[in-house]
Amino acid sequence: MKAYIETEGLVLKGQLPQLDDEENDLDMASTMCCVPFAAVAVGKGENFDPIASDRSLIPYKSILWSEPTESGVFDELEVSYARKVGHKTGVFTSVFTIAAGPKSSESSLISSTVTDDSIILSEKLMARAYPDSKPGVSVLVLINPHGGKGLSLKIYNKEVEPFLRAAHCNLTVIKTKYSGHATDIAEEMDIDKFDLILCASGDGIPHEVINGLYKRSDRAKAFNKLVITQVPAGSGNALSRSCLGTLEPSDAVLEILKGVTVRTDLMAVCSQDQPVIVSFLSQTYGIIAQADIGTEWMRWIGESRFDIGVLSQVLSGRSYPCTIAVKYIARTIEELSDYYRIHMNDASNDADLDDDAFELKYNDVFQETDDLCDISNLPGWEKLDDELCSNMGLLYSGKMPYVSKDTNFFPAALPHDGSMDIVVTDVRAGFFKTVDALLSLDKGLHVWTEEVTHSKVEAFRVIPRAKPGQLPFISVDGENFPFQPFQVEIMRGLMKTVMRDGSYTETGFLDNHRRMQLDSTTL
Ligand SMILES: Nc1ncnc2c1ncn2[C@@H]1O[C@H](COP(=O)(O)OP(=O)(O)OP(=O)(O)O)[C@@H](O)[C@H]1O
């Protein structure tokens, strides 16, 4: 099959590797949906018009590397690129010859002439292929061989590393050997050697990495220097789902190579008898924590262990009494919607952080307080309704929209606005209403149901009250946290990560808001 890369009035022509029949089933339509412009065109013959045929277009975004061929021929380039084959994306390398070709409006983005030598053309092609990122970065890969169903090493070797190698990344690969190993690595690593930490794991390894970096005496430098990302290889892959918009490891690595680096807020989880834990995803107490941590022993059944856990919790009608105090940013769903509309396009602050960015605003008061239910020394804080807290089903607070594959739990989450979303439910709503709310999690519709309290806060405190004979779980980023009072506050814009198109995966929050408003006016 012939292949083309179109530039300013030129076409790079080449021969694509022949695929067997099954592989030949190219899913170009879906590639086109991701990226609206064309760079490489795949055609059948010399007179094929690469721009005219949708079926044959592959985007610039797919180009991983370009360089002059070893032969030194002035009009030849060797190009490595990603190409969708069936439902998978693979890496291919072809030699392209520069020739005159059709003009298009897109092509003016690269201005070349047929007499440009291959070095210049290659540089232009690379600049077009990496508009938002740097090619050939140094990557520390951390693989949790026990993540998910124990397939992370295989996933990395087959679906991730070929892309990193084709993109000429400088790779250091470490397999984690024990729980907490990634924290030790991040705490001790030479940060000058790396640009990016890529976790081939679930959410546990990025959680450990940020905590390792946080422990360092040069943590401001570490968080300024390093970008923390994930290719989905565990059972919970919220970081890639929320930031890269995919759970396919090969698509995720392509997004990591080509996406925009964005800063996100982190959350400091404080308790009175242990050091601060840093959280990038969520903290939860009640139904969800029981369903997640409380079903660890059922790991072997895969993702459905969580659904079974939630169902059995809701059926039991068990409550998790506590006292909750919050520092509101947006109290009601209406205030929250207005806030979202105002801040949804706020730009990420790219300036380097200094040590002040790590100063906690409310932790000293928390540490010094004997009566944690007394919030008189916290101006602007409020307690949540006592009746609601005594009958609490779940408390879930988070920073990223998707907490798992289909769970759009925080559809109004924003990356670096200095707030976290908090959701509280009341068991008095009853089984059907709770199940109804939880069944709409995939579309993020639960936040519009009366049974769910949804706010944006800057900080909150939880004082759990265990019933006799019970020791419920508290979960931070899916990891077990000791049962005790805790306080969480936002730390603005600390973590650099990569996001597809520079923002969180679309959640449909504004569309749902419009629909809800329409429904209420037509009633
Ligand atoms: N070699 C190892 N042996 C045992 N545990 C490990 C090892 N390496 C990492 N871990 C632990 O495994 C935990 C889970 O890792 P990860 O998030 O990658 O997988 P997961 O399957 O998505 O898990 P989860 O159920 O928490 O979502 C991490 O918190 C880490 O502490």
Side-chain angles (χ1 to χ4, degrees), residues 143-149 152 175-182 200-208 230 233-237 292 296 299 305 477-479:
I143 305 174
N144 175 4
H146 298 280
K149 292 183 185 149
S152 46
K175 285 178 246 164
T176 55
K177 293 194 175 65
Y178 53 88
S179 177
H181 192 187
S201 67
D203 295 317
I205 300 300
H207 171 83
E208 288 193 6
Q230 173 195 54
S235 52
N237 305 298
D292 188 5
E296 283 279 353
R299 227 159 213 294
R305 81 176 159 95
D477 292 353
E479 306 297 315

Side-chain angles (χ1 to χ4, degrees), residues 278-510:
V278 187
S279 162
F280 72 95
L281 180 62
S282 64
Q283 309 85 40
T284 182
Y285 172 55
I287 293 172
I288 302 279
Q290 295 304 118
D292 188 5
I293 310 277
T295 58
E296 283 279 353
W297 61 276
M298 294 185 347
R299 227 159 213 294
W300 51 275
I301 68 167
E303 282 166 12
S304 46
R305 81 176 159 95
F306 182 73
D307 299 337
I308 294 168
V310 169
L311 197 65
S312 81
Q313 281 293 313
V314 179
L315 270 171
S316 75
R318 206 169 296 146
S319 63
Y320 295 87
C322 57
T323 299
I324 304 173
V326 302
K327 176 83 165 66
Y328 280 120
I329 286 181
R331 183 189 304 256
T332 61
I333 188 75
E334 287 76 24
E335 279 181 26
L336 191 145
S337 307
D338 290 343
Y339 175 93
Y340 183 83
R341 214 173 295 109
I342 293 166
H343 294 284
M344 58 188 276
N345 294 321
D346 284 359
S348 162
N349 175 13
D350 292 333
D352 275 357
L353 304 171
D354 57 23
D355 288 334
D356 292 348
F358 296 82
E359 287 290 319
L360 298 181
K361 231 163 131 181
Y362 303 111
N363 193 28
D364 285 350
V365 174
F366 181 59
Q367 298 303 329
E368 288 156 11
T369 306
D370 293 326
D371 178 7
L372 288 172
C373 291
D374 177 10
I375 54 163
S376 55
N377 50 0
L378 287 169
W381 282 57
E382 291 176 47
K383 277 194 199 165
L384 260 55
D385 177 59
D386 258 351
E387 285 283 298
L388 166 65
C389 291
S390 300
N391 292 286
M392 200 198 71
L394 71 87
L395 170 134
Y396 207 165
S397 55
K399 192 60 229 176
M400 297 205 168
Y402 286 87
V403 295
S404 68
K405 186 178 165 202
D406 295 320
T407 312
N408 184 3
F409 210 100
F410 301 110
L414 294 169
H416 40 68
D417 63 321
S419 83
M420 50 198 149
D421 285 38
I422 184 166
V423 165
V424 179
T425 67
D426 187 329
V427 290
R428 289 172 299 173
F431 174 77
F432 289 107
K433 285 191 168 169
T434 308
V435 166
D436 202 32
L438 294 177
L439 283 179
S440 54
L441 281 175
D442 55 338
K443 298 188 183 67
L445 289 172
H446 60 293
V447 295
W448 303 98
T449 59
E450 279 174 19
E451 290 66 41
V452 168
T453 305
H454 181 203
S455 315
K456 272 191 186 282
V457 301
E458 181 192 336
F460 66 95
R461 179 184 292 179
V462 181
I463 306 133
R465 296 192 296 271
K467 292 178 183 166
Q470 272 187 12
L471 200 55
F473 295 106
I474 295 169
S475 149
V476 173
D477 292 353
E479 306 297 315
N480 198 7
F481 183 82
F483 184 82
Q484 61 185 323
F486 63 100
Q487 181 170 293
V488 184
E489 67 178 277
I490 205 81
M491 295 191 290
R492 200 149 185 189
L494 285 201
M495 179 173 91
K496 282 182 170 175
T497 191
V498 178
M499 293 189 196
R500 177 186 196 155
D501 301 327
S503 57
Y504 278 153
T505 304
E506 175 57 44
T507 62
F509 182 71
L510 278 188

Side-chain angles (χ1 to χ4, degrees), residues 137-143 160 164 195-203 205-207 209-210 213 226-233 237-241 243-244 252-253 255-262 280 400 495-500:
V137 290
S138 285
V139 185
L140 173 63
V141 179
L142 298 178
I143 305 174
V160 178
L164 298 171
D195 304 300
L196 193 112
I197 301 181
L198 185 150
C199 308
S201 67
D203 295 317
I205 300 300
H207 171 83
V209 166
I210 56 171
L213 297 180
L226 297 164
V227 178
I228 300 150
T229 62
Q230 173 195 54
V231 286
N237 305 298
L239 184 58
S240 35
R241 179 75 179 94
C243 297
L244 306 173
V253 67
E255 292 297 339
I256 289 169
L257 290 167
K258 300 303 185 85
V260 183
T261 295
V262 177
F280 72 95
M400 297 205 168
M495 179 173 91
K496 282 182 170 175
T497 191
V498 178
M499 293 189 196
R500 177 186 196 155

Side-chain angles (χ1 to χ4, degrees), residues 7 11 28 56 61 72 79 81 101 117 126 163 179 224 231 250 254 269 325 357 369 412 434-435 464 486 505:
T7 69
V11 169
M28 290 304 174
S56 54
K61 191 170 181 175
V79 181
Y81 51 95
D117 72 15
M126 285 293 281
F163 290 80
S179 177
N224 285 331
V231 286
S250 54
L254 200 53
V269 184
T369 306
T434 308
V435 166
F486 63 100
T505 304

